[in-house]
Amino acid sequence: MGYLFRFIFTWLCLSLFALTDLYGNIENQPHKIIGVVVDIETQEPVSFAYIHLVEINRTATTDRDGRFQFSNVPAGTYMVAVHRIGYVTQRRLVNVSSGESAEIRIVIRPTVLTGQTVDVVGDQDVTRGSNLEHTTIHVMGDQLRRDLGVTLSETLDNQPGISQRSMGPAPGRPVIRGLGNERVLILQDGERTGDASWTSSDHAVTVDPTSAEEIEIARGPSALLYGSNAIGGVVNVVRNQIPNSVPSSLTGMVSLHGTSVNRGATAAGSVIMPVDKFVFKLDLNGRTGDNFRTPVGTLTNTSMRTTQNTFGASYIRPSGYAGISGTMYLSEYGIPPDPQGGHPEGVNIEMEKYQTDVRSEIVFNDSFFKLLEFQGSVIYYHHREMESGGITGTEYKMGTNTAAAKVHHQDWGLVKDGVIGISGEFVSNVVLGTRTPDSRIYTGSVFTMQETDFGPLHLEAGLRLDHVVAQPARERVSPTIGYIRERSFTSLASSASAIYDFGGGLFVGSTFIHSFRPPSFGELFSEGPHLASYSYEIGNPDLEPERGLGSEIFFRYKSSNATVQISGYHNYFGNYLYAQDTGQPSRQRSDLNLYQYIGTEAYLYGMELSTEIEILNDFVLDGNFSHTIGERVVSKEEMEISGLEKSRQPLPMIPPLSATLGLHYSSGPYSIGGKMRLANRQTRIGDFETETPGYVIYNLNAHYRFNTRGTFHTITFNVQNLFNETYYNHLSRIKEIFPEPGRSVNLLYRVYL
């Protein structure tokens, strides 16, 4: 705790000194963006619209008069994105001149399409607006409320290319294009979550999606700002725990969510209070639910109790801001019984996480550098896996400390926008109940991302240099896994993306990425039983880093009544790391199969299609299609021993071909619709993996919104698995014995104050 206090005290002193003294002269040269959002049909102000200043990641919400303000903005050109439920998302370029304020009036119009955007370039000299297209996907508004689930992965499960790895309903984690674990980074407000969800399928993600304002899914160069290993992508849950703008008055939100499939209930609320130059935010939520029901009976030991509470405060001036937040995450959930008898009554997991985040920004005036960002976090994570009789089995303790500094610069030659930064991370790991040694991991990084435009061509490029040291508490020779020793890894990751605007709403783009992922502490040093995941895990201290080469090409069409995107992708790994099921029971625990971490040459490739089309007045047809193939290269020796005929064999835990097709009707504040979800039978399976049959399920949803007395209300009703079909998720570790949840009636009510 002493380190935590020193960390916070030092940051506060430096931040407040910079904001009040060193750059105090900026007070005389304020840079502001002041605006109002109005309805194009009624010319009435639109309240509670979400405003996002993209380049420097500032957010605000319009007040009851439709007004908003960003008061500490460096000179430059910015993208202002305006989103409101039931309206077209509008993105507009705004120029902020030195010593002046930019005043804008944004007119938005109602729409029945959830993903429609309008780009307004104003007086900018931009050819066909190509620089408004990027590779990041945003999930918000109607779409976020309609798909809101118990976990983050369930909330994103309807997105093309995204699947859900699970071991019961509680510990779900997103898988993107067949890539999961550390290949997909999960962030909250740009910070790592500091949990163990990437290490095993029974570990839950410590982020509740209930209070999310939006969810960003980034691939390509922008992903390198957060890590060199995210070849699958980065999922950032935006909650804005540390306020970065001053609202005109006290604002808040209350949310109530009920689900029938587990008699679940969720309550959440937040309040943002400005006091002079200070802004305070309180965010509370709690979730409870009994065992989930399936079409064949109750899913034993799947109840959950979770709460996530945050308090944040910021000091905001035209020269920047300094803020701090503290988060407490507590959770109890169950893992169903082991089909092989390792724990016949299931395992109960007790989890706690305490996180302190700090963030500062300093705005520069008339300088090559326009903005300096600093952010850091101190995280303590602990979870216990409780077996029959209240005995603690495996126990995890992790301490994570991170710090990063990023500077945004002005135009530089051909480069129009860019970020340069450094970061460091220290993680301590303690695993009790096994022979896995205590370990520490140190990471230092230097990174940059640059953007530019050549007429209709938009280019992005990123580089990241990482140096990683994995250090066991002591070196020793294990008779099971070998020589346990310190390992260090250094490598450069890179990515580039190009998007060309052909006009008429047609865009063509391509992304390339070279990823670098050092083996984790579990892959290097694991040695012992892990009852909750039905496995006896064996690491390999000699593993080499995983390096990947990824490429993607996409075609995107956008018009006033349609959006269509087709993507094809290919990922190659020279040393793909994963835990291979050997099919053999361990000597120490005959009821647990031996899982050995190995590296192998592998390919993952496939395609996606997503579309949303207004087919008649107020009717929208939407759908998506995803198919990923994962293969590992088999050595000649393995072919001879196993009698295999092909040099490529399927990788385990790859999602089958899947698709959705939906039809929605919207009229004013009302909308109603249905969606069909289907998955093909998965017969391409890894060693000792079970096939899963195909399925078709149907969902219904309805939405209503209204304003009253200065408040904005939304009511979302949906029914999942309408006909109570029995179906199996191929990425579930319990699919051999338990199907997915049955029919569920859900109701979400939310009011903005």
Side-chain angles (χ1 to χ4, degrees), residues 49 77 84 109 157 192 255 316 361 363 409 433 514 533 562 583-585 595 618 620 676 717 731 747-748:
T77 300
R84 171 63 143 75
R109 63 179 177 83
D157 201 28
R192 300 203 180 198
S255 177
I316 300 176
E361 285 188 5
V363 175
H409 61 73
H514 165 237
S533 65
Q584 300 295 321
Y595 280 74
D618 301 327
V620 174
M676 176 182 69
F717 172 83
L731 301 191
L747 182 65
L748 172 66

Side-chain angles (χ1 to χ4, degrees), residues 230-300:
I231 188 170
V234 172
V235 177
N236 183 32
V237 180
V238 180
R239 299 178 68 227
N240 292 314
Q241 298 174 125
I242 298 177
N244 51 41
S245 62
V246 182
S248 59
S249 62
L250 182 74
T251 62
M253 179 274 293
V254 175
S255 177
L256 300 173
H257 188 200
T259 59
S260 68
V261 72
N262 67 334
R263 297 186 180 91
T266 304
S270 66
V271 61
I272 302 175
M273 180 176 66
V275 180
D276 194 17
K277 296 175 182 177
F278 291 89
V279 182
F280 301 94
K281 181 175 183 180
L282 180 64
D283 196 331
L284 306 173
N285 79 49
R287 182 188 299 276
T288 183
D290 296 333
N291 289 335
F292 282 74
R293 293 190 295 275
T294 77
V296 298
T298 300
L299 188 53
T300 306

